[in-house]
Amino acid sequence: MANNTNETIEETTSLLDIQFNAAISVDCVIFGYDKHNLKVLLVKSDMPMYKDKYSLLGDLLKQDENTDQSAIRVLAKHTGLSGLYMEQVCTFSNVNRHPLGRVVTVAYYSLVQLNEGLEELVHHHPDLKWEKVSDIEDLAFDHLLVFNKCLKQLRYGLREKPIGFNLLPEKFTLKQLQNLYERVLDIEIDKRNFRRKLKSIDILMDVNENETDVSHRPAKLYSFDKIRYSSKKKKRFSFEM
Amino acid sequence: MANNTNETIEETTSLLDIQFNAAISVDCVIFGYDKHNLKVLLVKSDMPMYKDKYSLLGDLLKQDENTDQSAIRVLAKHTGLSGLYMEQVCTFSNVNRHPLGRVVTVAYYSLVQLNEGLEELVHHHPDLKWEKVSDIEDLAFDHLLVFNKCLKQLRYGLREKPIGFNLLPEKFTLKQLQNLYERVLDIEIDKRNFRRKLKSIDILMDVNENETDVSHRPAKLYSFDKIRYSSKKKKRFSFEM
DNA sequence: CCAAAAGTGTTTGTAATACACCCATGG
DNA sequence: CCATGGGTGTATTACAAACACTTTTGG
């Protein structure tokens, strides 16, 4: 794919040169879950026409990276974390979506467990905030559109793939997992049915530990068993509930 | 979104100007179904390094259009048709995916019923061909990747949304519909179960006509009842089978 | 011993699967 | 009247949904 002749390069460099080029950006909907609420990391817009509005975290694509790499870079820059779960969602390209020129943006969402460290982020960076998903009403640019699309894809994926674990600590209780599903999907789930479902899917590992520091019967802790999951991945099963 | 002050324009035009820009293209996986096979419209690559290979139909994004419009334009140009079912699938942006320079491409798939008119297309345009999906092994650029992703999304969507009808004529028999599911998903379906399922979903309209020109009992013709479908769309139901 | 949440089974309805014969038409 | 594919029903099984009480711990 890289050993083109000089001839070819000349021919097409010119072809592409006369073509319209656009800036390409990546926008990340960074979902954080703090055991009660699903939140999204937002940054105060630095554009005069969008002052007082917040926007998603993003950046322009660089010459030596693809959009996945760009998204990883944006995540690392703002959260300090790498290896986060991440999905490309959709590309937005309306002609006037960006007031400063033509910018086509590729949207990603990613998932992170909102611990104290991450909550603290916003104290050092006053332009950042974790906004509850249910409180998001208005964003700069077309970012409300982008956000809605990403939220939809997250909800969809949560029913079909074991991605929810990315929003929880390594070890968690069944109640925490159920709460996650209830909060993110905005539904109520019967405790017994939920537990039976999880038992039948059989992708959790009993870590033989209990919750601590609770003033009632402590719950057992589990972790997601990636290995067991991949071994049964072939048969399509649904997380539907 | 369009009344920026001069100040803003100056400030950011310069900001965007110094940024890296890339060409943006749209690539369409145009699926055609001829009652026996699912096929894809391909065009012989005009690039020396990919001679003898075929590629998807695509074009570079123009200044005054978004990628949806660009895809519609590509579809119209090569099939002469408009209003085809179409979905954005994914964006591919690897640095070296295009030998002539940096081109980020947005992939779409679309669905069309392959009638004689469309089959004939390829006689007037010797560079075009309808290739059976099962025969596609190698394509120019990263188009095999693009194609595979689009096929996957088509199969996925077929199980969840009533999009199959876009591959059939307005009026069709239940057998034709079943064949479509079997061929596209590459599975076998029990005739009685299939028919019961469709009856329960209740989105077909009996057009009170029969097949003609068959040397056996003619089958009843149905059409997809869009209105009835949208009226029950709220409850999520699955085309799963 | 009390408060609080953890943990557990059964019943009922609904949808998926497997399976075989009669019917209507053209030739 | 025969060949061809169209059209139909039932029994079984698996899964989803609804629902209430006992157990364990901390204070």
Side-chain angles (χ1 to χ4, degrees), chain A residues 2-220:
Chain A
N3 57 350
N4 15 349
T5 66
N6 280 340
E7 194 177 273
T8 340
I9 291 180
E10 261 178 59
E11 181 198 352
T12 42
T13 314
S14 53
L15 236 171
L16 285 177
D17 277 351
I18 59 166
Q19 281 295 337
F20 161 64
N21 282 14
I24 295 168
S25 69
V26 158
D27 284 305
C28 297
V29 177
I30 304 174
F31 289 108
Y33 182 73
D34 67 359
K35 295 184 184 161
H36 300 287
N37 293 293
L38 185 66
K39 297 179 177 175
V40 173
L41 189 58
L42 298 177
V43 60
K44 200 171 276 174
S45 179
D46 55 356
M47 293 201 30
M49 73 174 293
Y50 286 127
K51 80 182 171 66
D52 304 331
K53 296 205 179 179
Y54 281 80
S55 66
L56 300 171
L57 292 164
D59 197 5
L60 290 163
L61 182 72
K62 293 193 189 303
Q63 221 169 119
D64 61 348
E65 63 182 10
N66 64 26
T67 55
D68 285 6
Q69 293 163 336
S70 194
I72 290 168
R73 180 168 55 77
V74 167
L75 291 176
K77 177 175 172 191
H78 294 285
T79 67
L81 299 173
S82 62
L84 298 184
Y85 181 80
M86 189 183 94
E87 272 186 39
Q88 191 195 116
V89 175
C90 192
T91 293
F92 295 81
S93 62
N94 276 348
V95 174
N96 291 314
R97 61 172 295 282
H98 198 297
L100 305 179
R102 188 70 191 272
V103 184
V104 170
T105 198
V106 184
Y108 283 78
Y109 82 77
S110 67
L111 302 179
V112 63
Q113 171 219 354
L114 244 185
N115 52 27
E116 308 74 28
L118 278 176
E119 294 270 22
E120 223 173 277
L121 248 184
V122 302
H123 301 135
H124 307 139
H125 302 277
D127 287 347
L128 292 177
K129 73 166 170 181
W130 285 104
E131 179 87 318
K132 277 198 229 173
V133 158
S134 55
D135 289 345
I136 293 177
E137 286 175 340
D138 192 18
L139 295 173
F141 312 102
D142 55 357
H143 284 188
L144 188 59
L145 223 64
V146 177
F147 160 74
N148 281 326
K149 186 87 200 225
C150 288
L151 178 59
K152 199 171 164 190
Q153 184 156 329
L154 165 61
R155 286 179 166 157
Y156 202 78
L158 196 61
R159 291 175 176 273
E160 312 227 317
K161 297 179 290 187
I163 57 178
F165 307 107
N166 294 293
L167 292 168
L168 291 178
E170 185 63 24
K171 299 168 184 178
F172 49 85
T173 66
L174 292 177
K175 186 63 190 294
Q176 286 171 346
L177 188 60
Q178 181 180 342
N179 278 339
L180 168 68
Y181 273 84
E182 292 183 325
R183 300 304 173 95
V184 175
L185 297 177
D186 196 24
I187 55 173
E188 292 201 343
I189 303 175
D190 178 83
K191 182 164 59 156
R192 283 168 290 187
N193 292 339
F194 181 78
R195 288 158 114 95
R196 179 176 30 254
K197 176 82 182 204
L198 263 123
K199 189 173 282 180
S200 81
I201 294 176
D202 187 33
I203 52 168
L204 292 188
M205 198 177 195
D206 184 341
V207 296
N208 285 310
E209 290 178 52
N210 288 341
E211 247 182 333
T212 52
D213 304 321
V214 287
S215 73
H216 53 79
R217 175 175 177 179
K220 298 190 70 171

Side-chain angles (χ1 to χ4, degrees), chain B:
Chain B
M1 209 183 239
N3 57 351
N4 16 346
T5 65
N6 280 340
E7 194 175 272
T8 338
I9 290 180
E10 259 177 61
E11 182 198 352
T12 42
T13 314
S14 53
L15 237 171
L16 284 177
D17 277 350
I18 59 165
Q19 281 295 341
F20 161 64
N21 282 14
I24 295 168
S25 69
V26 158
D27 284 305
C28 297
V29 176
I30 305 174
F31 288 109
Y33 183 73
D34 68 359
K35 295 185 185 164
H36 299 285
N37 292 293
L38 184 66
K39 296 179 178 177
V40 173
L41 190 58
L42 298 177
V43 59
K44 200 170 278 176
S45 178
D46 55 355
M47 292 202 30
M49 74 174 293
Y50 287 129
K51 81 181 169 67
D52 304 330
K53 295 203 180 181
Y54 281 80
S55 66
L56 300 170
L57 292 164
D59 198 5
L60 290 163
L61 182 73
K62 293 192 190 302
Q63 221 168 120
D64 61 346
E65 62 182 9
N66 64 25
T67 54
D68 284 6
Q69 292 163 336
S70 194
I72 289 167
R73 179 169 56 76
V74 167
L75 291 177
K77 177 176 170 192
H78 293 286
T79 67
L81 298 173
S82 62
L84 297 185
Y85 181 80
M86 189 182 93
E87 273 186 38
Q88 191 195 116
V89 175
C90 193
T91 293
F92 295 81
S93 62
N94 276 348
V95 174
N96 292 314
R97 60 172 296 281
H98 198 297
L100 304 180
R102 189 70 191 271
V103 185
V104 170
T105 199
V106 184
Y108 284 78
Y109 83 76
S110 67
L111 302 179
V112 62
Q113 171 220 354
L114 244 187
N115 52 27
E116 307 74 29
L118 277 176
E119 294 270 23
E120 223 173 280
L121 248 185
V122 301
H123 301 136
H124 306 138
H125 302 278
D127 287 348
L128 293 177
K129 72 167 170 182
W130 286 104
E131 179 87 317
K132 278 198 227 171
V133 158
S134 55
D135 289 344
I136 292 176
E137 288 175 338
D138 192 18
L139 295 173
F141 311 103
D142 55 357
H143 284 188
L144 188 59
L145 223 64
V146 177
F147 161 73
N148 281 326
K149 186 86 199 227
C150 288
L151 177 59
K152 198 171 163 188
Q153 184 156 327
L154 165 61
R155 285 179 167 159
Y156 201 78
L158 196 61
R159 292 175 174 274
E160 312 226 317
K161 298 179 289 187
I163 57 178
F165 306 108
N166 294 292
L167 292 168
L168 291 177
E170 185 64 25
K171 300 169 185 178
F172 50 85
T173 67
L174 292 178
K175 187 62 190 292
Q176 287 171 346
L177 187 60
Q178 181 179 343
N179 278 338
L180 167 68
Y181 273 84
E182 292 183 325
R183 301 302 174 96
V184 175
L185 297 177
D186 196 23
I187 55 173
E188 291 202 343
I189 303 174
D190 178 84
K191 182 163 61 159
R192 282 166 293 186
N193 292 340
F194 181 79
R195 288 159 114 97
R196 178 176 31 254
K197 175 81 182 208
L198 264 125
K199 190 173 282 180
S200 82
I201 294 175
D202 188 33
I203 52 169
L204 291 188
M205 197 179 198
D206 184 342
V207 297
N208 285 312
E209 290 177 52
N210 288 341
E211 249 182 333
T212 51
D213 303 322
V214 287
S215 73
H216 54 78
R217 176 176 176 180
K220 297 190 70 169
L221 293 175
Y222 296 86
S223 68
F224 171 51
D225 191 335
K226 287 184 191 61
I227 298 158
R228 200 177 313 181
Y229 172 67
S230 18
S231 75
K232 36 182 79 171
K233 211 159 136 193
K234 38 215 158 206
K235 351 186 203 164
R236 67 177 259 124
F237 63 74
S238 159
F239 276 68
E240 196 70 46
M241 29 199 122

